[in-house]
Amino acid sequence: MSALEGKTLIVTAGPTIEPIDPVRFLSNHSTGKMGYAIAGALAARGARVVLVSGRTALDTPAGVERVDVLSAEEMYRAVMERFEASDGAVMCAAVADYTPVEVSPVKMKKSDDDLVIRLKRTKDIAAEAGRRKGDRMLMGFALETDHEQENALGKLRRKNLDFIVLNSLRDPGAGFAGDTNKITIIDRQGEITDCPLESKRAAAERIADRIEAWFAARGC
Ligand code: C5P
């Protein structure tokens, strides 16, 4: 029997959308493919998976409960409402770091002047989950362009994660949009596992293996 049987796991995936006015927003290139693949892999091993998803064009994986959100604030609330009752979370979403201070209720008119939009920081969902972690499993992702392992390990420690999965934008075939990824898994002990370039589905199975082993090692 899988150690994931009966576990409740939250997976965040996709981009967030930060509104500027009723027709415009700030966002990023995340497609949600990696998070959806992880949600599917965990559900196939018997976990109850709640996928908190930003806007994507993907079908919900079999056996997964999906909660749709748009903004970082909505994603924060959707995760925090469910975190206490969960056994852990995989934070795969590309959450906006900044959001407009003011959202115009009407479509903003153009003028000949430059436009300045003031942004404020969003809440860090993974870091807040880290503060409330208790004995739950927590995995985060890091997309880095330089000093990759050092930055990723710093994030693991700051956010109190059990694992951080590193994608380097330097690796061809890794990161956003494509169907392949080249990941490095770093755990709390600082142990580093470099994985080959492979399909996101294969990378998701590898990630599910590590999560399953984490629960198995705790005998829970
Ligand atoms: O600090 P950075 O954004 O690089 O950290 C990435 C990790 O933190 C990812 O797991 C991402 O899902 C999570 N994160 C989050 N909430 C934020 C920013 C990042 O959950 N506001």
Side-chain angles (χ1 to χ4, degrees), residues 44-121:
R45 296 171 189 223
R48 178 180 165 249
V49 179
V50 183
L51 175 60
V52 178
S53 176
R55 187 186 284 170
T56 72
L58 303 173
D59 293 329
T60 309
V64 168
E65 179 194 335
R66 173 165 153 191
V67 177
D68 286 326
V69 297
L70 290 176
S71 66
E73 180 63 29
E74 281 177 37
M75 185 173 277
Y76 176 86
R77 287 195 196 146
V79 170
M80 289 311 151
E81 275 167 23
R82 293 165 178 83
F83 189 66
E84 199 178 330
S86 79
D87 297 293
V90 179
M91 302 296 192
C92 205
V95 184
D97 291 322
Y98 294 91
T99 193
V101 172
E102 282 170 30
V103 182
S104 169
V106 293
K107 187 180 172 198
M108 288 166 68
K109 301 279 179 290
K110 60 171 124 1
S111 75
D112 291 336
D113 293 332
D114 291 347
L115 172 66
V116 176
I117 297 174
R118 195 173 164 78
L119 305 176
K120 62 180 179 188
R121 285 294 303 270

Side-chain angles (χ1 to χ4, degrees), residues 38-220:
I38 294 169
L42 294 171
R45 296 171 189 223
R48 178 180 165 249
V49 179
V50 183
L51 175 60
V52 178
S53 176
R55 187 186 284 170
T56 72
L58 303 173
D59 293 329
T60 309
V64 168
E65 179 194 335
R66 173 165 153 191
V67 177
D68 286 326
V69 297
L70 290 176
S71 66
E73 180 63 29
E74 281 177 37
M75 185 173 277
Y76 176 86
R77 287 195 196 146
V79 170
M80 289 311 151
E81 275 167 23
R82 293 165 178 83
F83 189 66
E84 199 178 330
S86 79
D87 297 293
V90 179
M91 302 296 192
C92 205
V95 184
D97 291 322
Y98 294 91
T99 193
V101 172
E102 282 170 30
V103 182
S104 169
V106 293
K107 187 180 172 198
M108 288 166 68
K109 301 279 179 290
K110 60 171 124 1
S111 75
D112 291 336
D113 293 332
D114 291 347
L115 172 66
V116 176
I117 297 174
R118 195 173 164 78
L119 305 176
K120 62 180 179 188
R121 285 294 303 270
T122 54
K123 293 178 191 143
D124 190 318
I125 305 165
E128 183 56 32
R131 283 189 280 274
R132 304 181 188 191
K133 180 179 179 311
D135 56 5
R136 293 172 194 80
M137 189 287 307
L138 203 53
M139 174 181 275
F141 278 69
L143 185 66
E144 304 291 337
T145 54
D146 61 280
H147 299 91
E148 288 98 335
Q149 293 190 357
E150 193 185 317
N151 287 343
L153 196 56
K155 279 175 195 176
L156 178 146
R157 302 249 182 268
R158 273 200 306 282
K159 302 189 192 210
N160 193 23
L161 309 172
D162 296 295
F163 300 100
I164 191 146
V165 178
L166 169 65
N167 300 286
S168 169
L169 272 188
R170 275 200 222 161
D171 287 316
F176 289 133
D179 287 317
T180 56
N181 209 355
K182 188 170 182 310
I183 58 169
T184 299
I185 304 173
I186 304 175
D187 70 14
R188 223 180 160 80
Q189 286 70 45
E191 197 196 320
I192 296 169
T193 312
D194 275 315
C195 307
L197 181 67
E198 59 194 350
S199 67
K200 285 188 175 168
R201 189 173 289 261
E205 291 299 335
R206 212 183 272 283
I207 286 166
D209 284 346
R210 289 299 291 269
I211 296 173
E212 189 172 343
W214 188 92
F215 282 106
R218 269 149 200 82
C220 53

